[in-house]
Each structure stands twice: as C-alpha cells, then as structure tokens.
Amino acid sequence: RRDDDGVIDLEEFSSALGMEVNELSRQLFRSFDVNSDGVLNFREFLQGLSIMVLGSEKERLRLAFNIYDIDRDGSISRDELYSLCRSCLSGTSVAMTDETVHKLVDAALLSADLDGNGVIDIDEFEQLTRQQPSLLASLSFDARHILGSGGDGK
C-alpha cells in the first residue's frame, strides 16, 4: 500500500522490505523510527537502510539489540526472545511446538546470560554475536529490490 503522504508507515515499510507485518517487522520499524512518531520520514528510512546495508558491525549490533529489546529497557528478556523467535518462525515452513521454542530460548538465554541475572544486556549480546555471527548477518541484505533495481540495470 502506498499513499504518497511523504512518510512510511509500518505496512509500507514491511512491504518495501518484503516482510509480513509481524513482531519482527514492528521492532525493525521501531528501530528506524528515531523520533518515535509512528511513521518514518525519508531520513529515518535511509539512515536505517544505511545501517543494514553499509553499517559497521557495532551499528548493526546496536540495531539488532534494539530489535530484540521490545520494551526498550536495555536488556533482552526470555519473553522478548520468545516473542521474536515465534514471529520469525511464522510464515515459514519450519514447524515448532511452543515447548521446542521455549527450550531453544532457554538454551540461548543460558548461553548468553553471562552474569546469570536472567536477561541479556548489550555486552552479553555483543559476545553472543561474536559466537553466532549469523545474528548480525541476517541484518545485512541486498537492497536493490527496495531501490527499484533487480541488479540487471533496469
């Protein structure tokens, strides 16, 4: 849906990135929405895309952390991790029971929560991404389809 109002809402954003509107796309949208007004202006959209396409490891780390930190309290809880895992699995051919997802989340939390306080902070998240670089690699992508070029010069 495109309405030429000069700003990008969640539906337009998700569509542009080829995503369904779900918890993951909402969180990514919130991470781009610097002024928290519920829409993206052109600058916010470009800055967010720039981080995803050209950002340093530290910038992409912060973006990824912000996506997982749903309540923006500076840490990732078990519930936040579960919510995003469930969201990422929806719409895929991967079928997992809630019990299996909870076990995976618990294992991830046990592995990443180095100080044992039950949540993952930014430093622990950084160490986790060093062990599992795919967490940041998933935030890098070829943006040609967003920019209107399929790579064939058209």
Side-chain angles (χ1 to χ4, degrees):
R1 186 191 114 209
R2 187 171 166 212
D3 56 21
D4 293 327
D5 60 1
V7 292
I8 301 166
D9 65 20
L10 176 60
E11 282 185 22
E12 293 166 325
F13 175 79
S14 298
S15 177
L17 296 182
M19 299 174 73
E20 293 179 23
V21 174
N22 58 26
E23 190 62 39
L24 178 61
S25 64
R26 278 186 206 70
Q27 285 304 109
L28 185 56
F29 181 85
R30 267 183 54 187
S31 295
F32 278 39
D33 186 13
V34 176
N35 64 4
S36 300
D37 65 354
V39 293
L40 303 180
N41 60 40
F42 190 62
R43 169 173 267 166
E44 289 171 319
F45 185 65
L46 283 184
Q47 285 176 332
L49 277 183
S50 176
I51 290 170
M52 290 181 75
V53 176
L54 303 170
S56 68
E57 185 175 320
K58 189 168 188 86
E59 289 171 320
R60 290 185 298 121
L61 173 89
R62 174 55 69 184
L63 177 64
F65 185 82
N66 288 339
I67 291 168
Y68 283 96
D69 183 15
I70 295 171
D71 63 10
R72 296 190 174 190
D73 68 350
S75 62
I76 302 167
S77 69
R78 180 182 190 270
D79 289 342
E80 289 169 323
L81 202 50
Y82 175 82
S83 176
L84 280 171
C85 285
R86 258 288 162 231
S87 183
C88 289
L89 290 171
S90 72
T92 69
S93 61
V94 178
M96 283 193 199
T97 64
D98 281 343
E99 181 182 350
T100 301
V101 176
H102 277 294
K103 285 180 181 178
L104 288 171
V105 166
D106 288 343
L109 197 55
L110 184 64
S111 167
D113 179 21
L114 301 176
D115 62 9
N117 68 349
V119 295
I120 302 169
D121 64 29
I122 188 70
D123 295 327
E124 292 167 330
F125 189 76
E126 183 174 3
Q127 289 187 20
L128 178 63
T129 59
R130 284 196 186 117
Q131 296 167 5
Q132 307 219 0
S134 62
L135 289 172
L136 291 185
S138 64
L139 287 178
S140 298
F141 68 97
D142 184 346
R144 286 181 292 196
H145 73 281
I146 295 170
L147 303 174
S149 170
D152 57 3
K154 294 182 182 178

